[in-house]
Every structure is written in structure tokens, then in C-alpha cells.
């Protein structure tokens, strides 16, 4: 009877420790889920910004295409208003500088998004590991409680009464 009581107490203590670990793993899981949600939101916003930058580049490229791909000196020669042509050429030069700047922004945004996606992916893996740990701890707790219950069930009614007192 004393041996059973000792074993049952030990099993309950181990189950309690496993439950504490389970609670810790649950907290870690919740924290990771919040971090992943924040990262996914950042990636979504970043993708929108990237799409806007790409649209701007597309508009600039179409404007350049509409002006034609004629050599600037020939265009100046053919132009009916050379002053107007020079104004447009200056604007196109500024447009090119804007395109270079926009391309840099697009590249930076793409790098940033790739990094955030990698970070989110790593956290998702960590979350999957935490969930697996949770399942293992839960099974461990159930097993120990089951063992304790079997030991208690093996006692006679008289031994159970004596143990309760």
C-alpha cells in the first residue's frame, strides 16, 4: 500500500511537471503566432508598396515609349519647335533619374520582403516544432495520469479507504 502510494504520488508529481512544461509550450506557441501574424501583415503591406512602385515604373516606361525611340539629335532636327523639344528632353532626363531611383526602391523593397518572408518561414517552422512538443507533453501527462489511475484501481476498496485517510 505504501509502495503504491509512493508510486502514485511520484506519478502525479511528474504529471504536474509535464503540465507546467505544456503550459510553457502553449505560451510560446501563442507568442510565435502573434509574431507570425505581424510579419505576414508587414509582408502584405510591403507587397502593396512594391506593386505601387512597379506601377509607377510601368507608367514612366510607357511615357518613354510613346515619345519614341528616335535618336535625340534626329528628333531635335525634325522638331518644329526646338525649344519645346529641349524642354521635353530635359523632362525625360529627369524622368530617367526618377526611374533609377524607383528601381533602387523596388530592389530594396524586394530584398526586405524576401528577408521578412524567410523570417516568417523560420517562425512557422518553430511553431510547428512547438506544436509537436505540445502534443508530446500532453501525451506524457495523459500517460502518467493513466498509470497512476491503474495503480489506484489495483487497490482493494479497503486499501483505497486506508489510503484516503
Amino acid at each position: 500500500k505504501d509502495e503504491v502510494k509512493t508510486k502514485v504520488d511520484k506519478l502525479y508529481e511528474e504529471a504536474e511537471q509535464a503540465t507546467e512544461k505544456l503550459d510553457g509550450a502553449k505560451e510560446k506557441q501563442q507568442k510565435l503566432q502573434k509574431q507570425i501574424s505581424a510579419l505576414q501583415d508587414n509582408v502584405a503591406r510591403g507587397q502593396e508598396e512594391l506593386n505601387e512602385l512597379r506601377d509607377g515604373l510601368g507608367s514612366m516606361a510607357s511615357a518613354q515609349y510613346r515619345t519614341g525611340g528616335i535618336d535625340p539629335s534626329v528628333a531635335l532636327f525634325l522638331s518644329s519647335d526646338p525649344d519645346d523639344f529641349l524642354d521635353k528632353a530635359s523632362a525625360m532626363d529627369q524622368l530617367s533619374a526618377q526611374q533609377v531611383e524607383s528601381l533602387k526602391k523596388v530592389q530594396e523593397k524586394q530584398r526586405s520582403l524576401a528577408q521578412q518572408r524567410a523570417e516568417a518561414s523560420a517562425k512557422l517552422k518553430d511553431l510547428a516544432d512547438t506544436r509537436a512538443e505540445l502534443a508530446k507533453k500532453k501525451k506524457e501527462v495523459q500517460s502518467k495520469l493513466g498509470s497512476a489511475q491503474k495503480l489506484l484501481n489495483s487497490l482493494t476498496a479497503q486499501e483505497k479507504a486506508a489510503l484516503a485517510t
Side-chain angles (χ1 to χ4, degrees):
K1 181 178 68 176
D2 289 339
E3 188 178 316
V4 169
K5 181 180 179 351
T6 304
K7 280 184 181 179
V8 167
D9 288 346
K10 185 177 183 216
L11 285 169
Y12 276 129
E13 185 180 318
E14 288 174 5
E16 188 177 322
Q17 290 171 355
T19 301
E20 287 173 10
K21 288 179 183 177
L22 181 66
D23 292 342
K26 282 181 182 177
E27 286 176 24
K28 182 179 178 184
Q29 178 183 7
Q30 290 170 349
K31 182 180 173 186
L32 283 169
Q33 283 176 323
K34 285 179 185 175
Q35 290 173 348
I36 289 168
S37 291
L39 279 169
Q40 288 173 333
D41 288 346
N42 286 342
V43 168
R45 277 194 300 277
Q47 189 63 50
E48 286 175 17
E49 291 172 17
L50 182 60
N51 291 341
E52 288 173 16
L53 287 170
R54 285 182 176 159
D55 289 345
L57 279 173
S59 298
M60 284 188 255
S62 355
Q64 283 182 333
Y65 178 76
R66 282 193 301 275
T67 60
I70 302 173
D71 182 85
S73 56
V74 174
L76 177 59
F77 179 72
L78 296 174
S79 176
S80 59
D81 184 0
D83 287 334
D84 183 48
F85 173 79
L86 290 173
D87 288 341
K88 286 181 183 174
S90 174
M92 288 304 287
D93 190 39
Q94 288 175 349
L95 197 58
S96 291
Q98 280 181 319
Q99 277 181 307
V100 168
E101 190 59 35
S102 291
L103 282 171
K104 285 181 184 176
K105 284 181 183 175
V106 165
Q107 288 175 329
E108 287 172 20
K109 185 56 73 178
Q110 285 175 325
R111 266 194 299 274
S112 171
L113 286 175
Q115 184 178 0
Q116 287 179 352
R117 282 186 180 116
E119 190 177 336
S121 181
K123 289 203 181 289
L124 281 169
K125 185 191 177 315
D126 196 10
L127 180 60
D129 293 346
T130 301
R131 284 184 174 153
E133 182 184 339
L134 273 173
K136 180 181 169 190
K137 295 291 179 198
K138 186 175 181 179
K139 193 173 183 180
E140 186 181 319
V141 168
Q142 290 171 338
S143 171
K144 289 182 188 286
L145 290 175
S147 297
Q149 193 60 50
K150 279 183 187 175
L151 278 173
L152 288 174
N153 290 343
S154 70
L155 296 175
T156 64
Q158 197 175 24
E159 290 172 327
K160 284 180 188 177
L163 191 60
T165 57

